[in-house]
Amino acid sequence: MNISSRKNPLVTHFRKLVRERSYRHECGEFPVEGARLCLEALNEGLEITSFLVTENAKEKYPEIVTAISEEFTPDIINEDISAYISDTKSPQGVFVTAKILDKNESKGKIVNGGKYIIMDNLQDSGNIGTIIRTCDALGIDGVILSPDCADIYSPKIIRSAMGSLFRLPVIIAELTETIAFMKEKGFSVYSAVLDETAQSISEITLGANTAVVIGNEGNGVSAAVTEACGKKLYIPISGAESLNAAVAASIISWEMTRRQ
Protein backbone atom coordinates (compact mmCIF):
# COMPACT_ATOMS: atom_id res chain seq x y z
CA MET A 1 0.00 0.00 0.00
CA ASN A 2 1.18 3.53 -0.80
CA ILE A 3 0.56 6.02 2.00
CA SER A 4 0.57 9.78 1.44
CA SER A 5 -1.77 11.04 4.16
CA ARG A 6 -0.68 11.96 7.67
CA LYS A 7 -4.09 10.82 8.86
CA ASN A 8 -3.52 7.23 7.75
CA PRO A 9 -3.98 4.91 10.79
CA LEU A 10 -0.52 3.36 10.41
CA VAL A 11 1.04 6.83 10.35
CA THR A 12 -0.86 8.16 13.35
CA HIS A 13 -0.14 4.94 15.25
CA PHE A 14 3.61 5.12 14.62
CA ARG A 15 3.83 8.81 15.51
CA LYS A 16 1.95 8.22 18.75
CA LEU A 17 4.24 5.31 19.66
CA VAL A 18 7.21 7.63 19.20
CA ARG A 19 5.76 10.34 21.41
CA GLU A 20 3.84 8.64 24.22
CA ARG A 21 5.16 6.16 26.79
CA SER A 22 1.68 5.29 28.02
CA TYR A 23 0.50 4.53 24.47
CA ARG A 24 3.45 2.20 23.86
CA HIS A 25 2.61 0.14 26.92
CA GLU A 26 -1.12 0.28 26.29
CA CYS A 27 -0.61 -1.12 22.78
CA GLY A 28 2.23 -3.46 23.70
CA GLU A 29 4.28 -2.15 20.78
CA PHE A 30 7.24 0.16 20.26
CA PRO A 31 8.75 1.98 17.26
CA VAL A 32 12.10 1.21 15.64
CA GLU A 33 13.67 3.61 13.17
CA GLY A 34 16.68 3.31 10.89
CA ALA A 35 17.78 0.68 8.39
CA ARG A 36 20.33 -1.09 10.58
CA LEU A 37 18.18 -1.10 13.72
CA CYS A 38 15.16 -2.42 11.84
CA LEU A 39 17.29 -5.25 10.45
CA GLU A 40 18.60 -5.97 13.97
CA ALA A 41 15.01 -6.20 15.20
CA LEU A 42 14.29 -8.76 12.49
CA ASN A 43 17.46 -10.76 13.08
CA GLU A 44 16.93 -10.88 16.84
CA GLY A 45 13.50 -12.41 16.35
CA LEU A 46 11.29 -9.52 17.39
CA GLU A 47 7.66 -9.79 16.36
CA ILE A 48 7.27 -7.07 13.71
CA THR A 49 3.77 -5.64 13.36
CA SER A 50 4.26 -3.03 10.61
CA PHE A 51 6.93 -1.96 8.13
CA LEU A 52 7.04 1.50 6.57
CA VAL A 53 9.64 2.47 3.97
CA THR A 54 10.23 5.25 1.42
CA GLU A 55 11.12 4.71 -2.24
CA ASN A 56 14.46 6.43 -1.61
CA ALA A 57 15.22 4.03 1.22
CA LYS A 58 14.45 1.06 -1.03
CA GLU A 59 17.14 2.31 -3.41
CA LYS A 60 19.65 3.29 -0.70
CA TYR A 61 19.31 0.17 1.48
CA PRO A 62 18.17 -2.52 -0.98
CA GLU A 63 19.58 -5.53 0.91
CA ILE A 64 18.10 -4.48 4.24
CA VAL A 65 14.70 -3.58 2.80
CA THR A 66 14.61 -6.85 0.86
CA ALA A 67 15.50 -8.89 3.95
CA ILE A 68 12.74 -7.29 6.03
CA SER A 69 10.28 -7.50 3.12
CA GLU A 70 10.75 -11.27 2.97
CA GLU A 71 9.27 -11.48 6.45
CA PHE A 72 6.81 -8.56 6.42
CA THR A 73 5.19 -6.78 3.47
CA PRO A 74 6.12 -3.07 3.50
CA ASP A 75 3.83 -0.08 3.14
CA ILE A 76 5.38 2.66 1.02
CA ILE A 77 5.42 6.18 2.48
CA ASN A 78 6.57 9.45 0.96
CA GLU A 79 9.30 11.73 2.31
CA ASP A 80 6.81 14.01 4.04
CA ILE A 81 5.39 11.11 6.04
CA SER A 82 8.90 9.89 6.82
CA ALA A 83 9.81 13.27 8.31
CA TYR A 84 6.47 13.48 10.13
CA ILE A 85 6.86 10.20 12.02
CA SER A 86 10.63 10.31 12.51
CA ASP A 87 12.31 11.12 15.81
CA THR A 88 15.50 12.24 14.03
CA LYS A 89 16.46 15.28 11.98
CA SER A 90 17.61 13.21 9.00
CA PRO A 91 15.42 10.09 8.76
CA GLN A 92 16.63 7.13 6.72
CA GLY A 93 13.08 6.26 5.71
CA VAL A 94 12.96 2.78 7.24
CA PHE A 95 10.57 2.13 10.14
CA VAL A 96 9.07 -0.90 11.88
CA THR A 97 6.86 -1.42 14.88
CA ALA A 98 7.43 -4.45 17.08
CA LYS A 99 5.83 -6.18 20.02
CA ILE A 100 7.21 -5.14 23.41
CA LEU A 101 9.81 -7.55 24.74
CA ASP A 102 9.44 -9.55 27.95
CA LYS A 103 11.39 -7.22 30.24
CA ASN A 104 9.22 -7.31 33.32
CA GLU A 105 10.29 -8.60 36.70
CA SER A 106 11.54 -12.17 36.54
CA LYS A 107 13.99 -13.36 39.17
CA GLY A 108 14.54 -16.43 37.03
CA LYS A 109 16.54 -14.26 34.62
CA ILE A 110 19.16 -13.60 37.31
CA VAL A 111 21.75 -16.32 36.78
CA ASN A 112 24.08 -17.74 39.44
CA GLY A 113 27.60 -16.47 38.87
CA GLY A 114 26.29 -13.52 36.87
CA LYS A 115 27.40 -9.90 36.75
CA TYR A 116 24.77 -7.15 36.67
CA ILE A 117 24.48 -3.39 36.43
CA ILE A 118 21.45 -1.97 38.25
CA MET A 119 19.98 1.45 37.44
CA ASP A 120 18.16 3.40 40.14
CA ASN A 121 15.82 6.09 38.76
CA LEU A 122 17.99 7.06 35.77
CA GLN A 123 16.18 9.62 33.64
CA ASP A 124 18.57 10.42 30.81
CA SER A 125 17.66 8.22 27.86
CA GLY A 126 21.12 8.54 26.33
CA ASN A 127 22.71 7.28 29.55
CA ILE A 128 20.41 4.28 29.77
CA GLY A 129 20.92 3.30 26.12
CA THR A 130 24.69 3.69 26.40
CA ILE A 131 24.80 1.58 29.56
CA ILE A 132 22.79 -1.19 27.89
CA ARG A 133 25.06 -1.10 24.84
CA THR A 134 28.24 -1.12 26.96
CA CYS A 135 27.03 -4.01 29.11
CA ASP A 136 26.22 -6.01 25.99
CA ALA A 137 29.66 -5.27 24.52
CA LEU A 138 31.61 -6.14 27.67
CA GLY A 139 29.78 -9.35 28.53
CA ILE A 140 27.71 -8.22 31.51
CA ASP A 141 24.96 -10.80 32.06
CA GLY A 142 22.11 -8.31 32.28
CA VAL A 143 20.84 -4.98 33.52
CA ILE A 144 18.12 -4.27 36.06
CA LEU A 145 16.13 -1.02 36.04
CA SER A 146 13.85 0.42 38.68
CA PRO A 147 10.31 1.06 37.37
CA ASP A 148 10.85 4.83 37.64
CA CYS A 149 13.70 4.86 35.12
CA ALA A 150 13.05 6.39 31.69
CA ASP A 151 11.15 4.08 29.34
CA ILE A 152 13.47 1.58 27.63
CA TYR A 153 11.19 1.68 24.57
CA SER A 154 11.70 5.39 23.95
CA PRO A 155 13.23 6.09 20.53
CA LYS A 156 16.36 7.69 22.03
CA ILE A 157 17.13 4.66 24.21
CA ILE A 158 16.55 2.29 21.30
CA ARG A 159 18.93 4.32 19.10
CA SER A 160 21.66 4.74 21.71
CA ALA A 161 21.50 1.04 22.68
CA MET A 162 22.21 0.21 19.01
CA GLY A 163 20.36 -3.12 19.03
CA SER A 164 21.70 -4.29 22.40
CA LEU A 165 18.25 -3.84 23.92
CA PHE A 166 17.06 -6.67 21.66
CA ARG A 167 19.76 -9.06 22.94
CA LEU A 168 20.77 -8.26 26.50
CA PRO A 169 18.62 -9.55 29.37
CA VAL A 170 16.91 -6.45 30.78
CA ILE A 171 14.76 -6.67 33.90
CA ILE A 172 12.45 -3.95 35.22
CA ALA A 173 11.84 -4.58 38.91
CA GLU A 174 11.48 -3.02 42.35
CA LEU A 175 15.07 -2.72 43.50
CA THR A 176 15.08 -3.33 47.25
CA GLU A 177 13.27 -6.64 46.88
CA THR A 178 15.43 -7.68 43.94
CA ILE A 179 18.64 -6.79 45.77
CA ALA A 180 17.48 -8.80 48.81
CA PHE A 181 16.83 -11.78 46.52
CA MET A 182 20.27 -11.45 44.92
CA LYS A 183 22.00 -11.30 48.29
CA GLU A 184 20.15 -14.47 49.34
CA LYS A 185 21.57 -16.08 46.18
CA GLY A 186 25.09 -15.15 47.25
CA PHE A 187 25.56 -11.94 45.28
CA SER A 188 27.66 -9.04 46.50
CA VAL A 189 25.67 -5.91 45.69
CA TYR A 190 27.35 -2.49 45.79
CA SER A 191 25.95 1.00 45.44
CA ALA A 192 28.23 3.36 43.48
CA VAL A 193 28.44 6.47 45.65
CA LEU A 194 30.68 9.40 46.53
CA ASP A 195 30.99 8.56 50.20
CA GLU A 196 33.93 8.47 52.60
CA THR A 197 32.69 5.15 53.95
CA ALA A 198 32.79 3.52 50.49
CA GLN A 199 35.62 1.30 49.20
CA SER A 200 37.69 2.31 46.23
CA ILE A 201 36.91 0.21 43.17
CA SER A 202 40.64 -0.55 42.95
CA GLU A 203 40.45 -2.37 46.29
CA ILE A 204 37.58 -4.66 45.32
CA THR A 205 37.47 -7.78 43.19
CA LEU A 206 34.35 -7.42 41.05
CA GLY A 207 33.67 -10.74 39.40
CA ALA A 208 31.05 -13.48 39.44
CA ASN A 209 27.95 -13.01 41.60
CA THR A 210 28.35 -9.23 41.66
CA ALA A 211 25.97 -6.36 40.97
CA VAL A 212 26.55 -2.60 41.15
CA VAL A 213 23.88 0.09 41.38
CA ILE A 214 24.22 3.30 39.36
CA GLY A 215 22.13 6.14 40.75
CA ASN A 216 20.05 8.99 39.39
CA GLU A 217 21.98 11.64 37.48
CA GLY A 218 21.22 14.39 40.00
CA ASN A 219 20.55 12.60 43.27
CA GLY A 220 22.62 9.43 43.09
CA VAL A 221 21.53 6.09 44.56
CA SER A 222 18.51 6.43 46.85
CA ALA A 223 18.97 5.92 50.59
CA ALA A 224 16.68 2.88 50.59
CA VAL A 225 18.61 1.17 47.79
CA THR A 226 21.98 2.05 49.36
CA GLU A 227 20.82 0.48 52.61
CA ALA A 228 19.54 -2.61 50.77
CA CYS A 229 22.94 -3.09 49.09
CA GLY A 230 24.91 -2.86 52.32
CA LYS A 231 28.18 -2.38 50.40
CA LYS A 232 29.44 0.79 48.73
CA LEU A 233 32.14 1.58 46.19
CA TYR A 234 33.51 4.68 44.55
CA ILE A 235 35.63 5.44 41.50
CA PRO A 236 38.59 7.66 42.44
CA ILE A 237 38.57 10.88 40.40
CA SER A 238 40.43 14.18 40.51
CA GLY A 239 39.31 17.58 39.25
CA ALA A 240 35.73 16.91 38.21
CA GLU A 241 33.10 16.70 40.90
CA SER A 242 31.56 13.48 39.60
CA LEU A 243 31.32 11.15 36.60
CA ASN A 244 28.51 10.85 34.10
CA ALA A 245 26.32 7.84 34.94
CA ALA A 246 27.08 6.03 31.69
CA VAL A 247 30.83 6.62 32.09
CA ALA A 248 30.75 5.31 35.65
CA ALA A 249 28.81 2.23 34.52
CA SER A 250 31.33 1.63 31.73
CA ILE A 251 34.29 1.73 34.13
CA ILE A 252 32.55 -0.58 36.57
CA SER A 253 31.52 -2.99 33.80
CA TRP A 254 35.12 -3.15 32.60
CA GLU A 255 36.33 -3.93 36.13
CA MET A 256 33.68 -6.64 36.44
CA THR A 257 34.70 -8.43 33.24
CA ARG A 258 38.40 -7.68 32.56
CA ARG A 259 39.69 -10.76 34.40
CA GLN A 260 37.59 -13.16 32.33
Side-chain angles (χ1 to χ4, degrees):
M1 178 171 66
N2 289 303
I3 299 173
S4 59
S5 171
R6 292 186 175 189
K7 294 182 180 180
N8 180 279
L10 287 175
V11 173
T12 57
H13 177 61
F14 194 97
R15 183 174 165 88
K16 202 168 180 181
L17 288 175
V18 167
R19 293 179 165 223
E20 298 180 20
R21 176 177 186 159
S22 60
Y23 186 71
R24 291 192 287 269
H25 290 271
E26 176 188 327
C27 296
E29 297 180 8
F30 67 102
V32 183
E33 175 182 349
R36 181 179 173 184
L37 270 178
C38 289
L39 183 61
E40 289 251 26
L42 175 72
N43 290 341
E44 293 298 329
L46 273 67
E47 184 180 346
I48 292 174
T49 54
S50 70
F51 177 27
L52 305 174
V53 63
T54 64
E55 291 289 357
N56 286 341
K58 288 172 65 177
E59 295 178 6
K60 192 171 183 179
Y61 311 103
E63 294 182 0
I64 290 176
V65 172
T66 297
I68 301 173
S69 298
E70 288 176 354
E71 301 294 329
F72 203 97
T73 303
D75 291 294
I76 309 303
I77 58 175
N78 59 31
E79 296 298 326
D80 173 70
I81 298 298
S82 176
Y84 180 65
I85 64 175
S86 175
D87 190 57
T88 67
K89 292 182 179 179
S90 302
Q92 294 180 345
V94 184
F95 309 85
V96 302
T97 57
K99 288 288 187 182
I100 277 178
L101 302 160
D102 178 19
K103 302 294 187 184
N104 290 324
E105 180 175 357
S106 175
K107 294 182 174 68
K109 296 178 183 176
I110 299 172
V111 298
N112 289 332
K115 298 171 288 293
Y116 293 86
I117 292 292
I118 301 173
M119 296 180 240
D120 180 16
N121 191 28
L122 264 68
Q123 297 303 307
D124 186 283
S125 298
N127 279 339
I128 294 174
T130 300
I131 291 170
I132 291 172
R133 182 181 180 187
T134 301
C135 288
D136 184 31
L138 294 180
I140 296 297
D141 293 287
V143 297
I144 302 168
L145 292 85
S146 62
D148 52 5
C149 284
D151 184 24
I152 60 170
Y153 298 107
S154 72
K156 188 173 182 180
I157 289 180
I158 293 167
R159 284 198 306 276
S160 55
M162 291 292 289
S164 292
L165 179 66
F166 309 151
R167 291 185 294 273
L168 186 71
V170 177
I171 301 167
I172 301 171
E174 199 282 321
L175 294 190
T176 57
E177 292 180 7
T178 302
I179 290 167
F181 170 81
M182 296 178 83
K183 290 169 72 174
E184 288 174 4
K185 298 277 284 184
F187 278 80
S188 294
V189 187
Y190 297 83
S191 57
V193 297
L194 290 173
D195 188 320
E196 61 183 14
T197 66
Q199 292 179 275
S200 170
I201 193 171
S202 62
E203 301 171 351
I204 304 169
T205 299
L206 298 175
N209 270 16
T210 303
V212 179
V213 182
I214 306 297
N216 174 271
E217 293 85 355
N219 301 315
V221 182
S222 68
V225 171
T226 298
E227 183 178 354
C229 292
K231 297 182 178 182
K232 301 181 237 182
L233 65 77
Y234 73 94
I235 300 169
I237 58 175
S238 60
E241 187 175 299
S242 62
L243 290 172
N244 168 274
V247 172
S250 298
I251 293 170
I252 292 166
S253 297
W254 170 248
E255 286 293 329
M256 292 171 81
T257 58
R258 69 186 178 92
R259 294 183 180 86
Q260 289 181 171

